[in-house]
Amino acid sequence: QVQLVQSGAEVKKPGASVKVSCKASGYTFTSYGISWVRQAPGQGLEWMGWISAYNGNTNYAQKLQGRVTMTTDTSTSTAYMELRSLRSDDTAVYYCARVNIVVVVAAAQPSYYFDYWGQGTLVTVSS
Amino acid sequence: SYELTQPPSVSVSPGQTARITCSGDALPKQYAYWYQQKPGQAPVLVIYKDSERPSGIPERFSGSSSGTTVTLTISGVQAEDEADYYCQSADSSGTYGVFGGGTKLTVL
């Protein structure tokens, strides 16, 4: 069965960096992408970006560009998300999710969704 | 930046039909997806490609699309359906993902 297992909770000081891991199993890792989604306390879901495990191509949310880096290690089927220059409003639960890509035939555009999710990693930024 | 708009809350009695809408300018060019999230849990995909239901999701969950609005319909709502529901799509180019603000479904 498909599983995504994330690393444990982190506490960081403002200005520091955090790196969260997401180990995949139960499917061919390079046949899908991995997306990262975060959720601040009591708030909604925020898409952060995604990475193709096939070729390493990335797309990041515009508000996070310059602070976030997503990578994969295909030898261990693990995806990583690093966020730098942490601020208090980065406090959130961070989820990884497997990305499925489909084609919107009528518009000839790619579309993607998230069919399996990790358990979430709480990152707390506090001085 | 591109946005999807959902009502903050919807309330229904058990056995009734709940409808949750999601509006966005790019929805005629992009599929919409729906996720259910219960407190303390990761989201679960309940509808993909506007109206397809993943295996294991009850038949009472359905989706539809019309122009710039997509709708998640839950027929015969049960107490266990009480949760937050999020729509998800992408901008018209398919480059950037986006979630709606979420709708809290309350079963009275």
Side-chain angles (χ1 to χ4, degrees):
Chain A
Q1 73 283 20
V2 175
Q3 280 193 308
L4 299 174
V5 179
Q6 299 183 221
S7 49
E10 303 263 13
V11 179
K12 297 292 184 181
K13 294 193 181 303
S17 298
V18 68
K19 193 169 186 177
V20 180
S21 68
C22 170
K23 183 170 178 59
S25 62
Y27 71 96
T28 301
F29 184 65
T30 51
S31 294
Y32 297 83
I34 293 287
S35 189
W36 291 87
V37 176
R38 69 179 180 178
Q39 186 170 37
Q43 302 302 308
L45 302 174
E46 179 185 9
W47 178 79
M48 300 179 66
W50 76 282
I51 181 167
S52 165
Y54 173 71
N55 58 18
N57 286 351
T58 54
N59 273 340
Y60 300 139
Q62 290 177 312
K63 69 175 285 188
L64 295 174
Q65 285 187 9
R67 286 207 302 139
V68 68
T69 301
M70 297 176 188
T71 57
T72 59
D73 181 346
T74 56
S75 69
T76 60
S77 299
T78 303
Y80 299 90
M81 185 284 299
E82 182 180 33
L83 189 60
R84 300 177 292 279
S85 302
L86 289 168
R87 308 187 291 248
S88 58
D89 62 357
D90 291 318
T91 294
V93 175
Y94 288 75
Y95 294 101
C96 63
R98 191 177 80 164
V99 176
N100 267 274
I101 299 175
V102 297
V103 175
V104 184
V105 175
Q109 293 286 4
S111 178
Y112 49 88
Y113 64 99
F114 318 122
D115 57 353
Y116 291 92
W117 294 65
Q119 82 276 19
T121 297
L122 176 62
V123 175
T124 303
V125 183
S126 174
S127 55
Chain B
S1 61
Y2 181 52
E3 294 183 351
L4 296 174
T5 302
Q6 298 180 234
S9 63
V10 168
S11 299
V12 296
S13 299
Q16 289 190 329
T17 296
R19 293 180 179 85
I20 300 172
T21 59
C22 172
S23 299
D25 289 342
L27 289 176
K29 294 185 177 181
Q30 280 287 335
Y31 289 130
Y33 307 91
W34 291 94
Y35 302 87
Q36 176 194 69
Q37 187 182 35
K38 296 182 178 179
Q41 298 183 18
V44 173
L45 178 72
V46 294
I47 294 290
Y48 67 102
K49 290 175 62 177
D50 291 344
S51 59
E52 302 289 327
R53 195 174 52 250
S55 61
I57 299 301
E59 291 184 8
R60 64 180 181 272
F61 288 86
S62 64
S64 61
S65 175
S66 179
T68 58
T69 299
V70 294
T71 301
L72 172 69
T73 301
I74 310 172
S75 304
V77 167
Q78 301 182 6
E80 67 197 51
D81 299 330
E82 186 165 283
D84 294 325
Y85 290 85
Y86 295 90
C87 61
Q88 175 253 315
S89 187
D91 67 331
S92 57
S93 68
T95 302
Y96 300 107
V98 61
F99 285 94
T103 298
K104 181 175 181 57
L105 175 65
T106 301
V107 182
L108 301 170

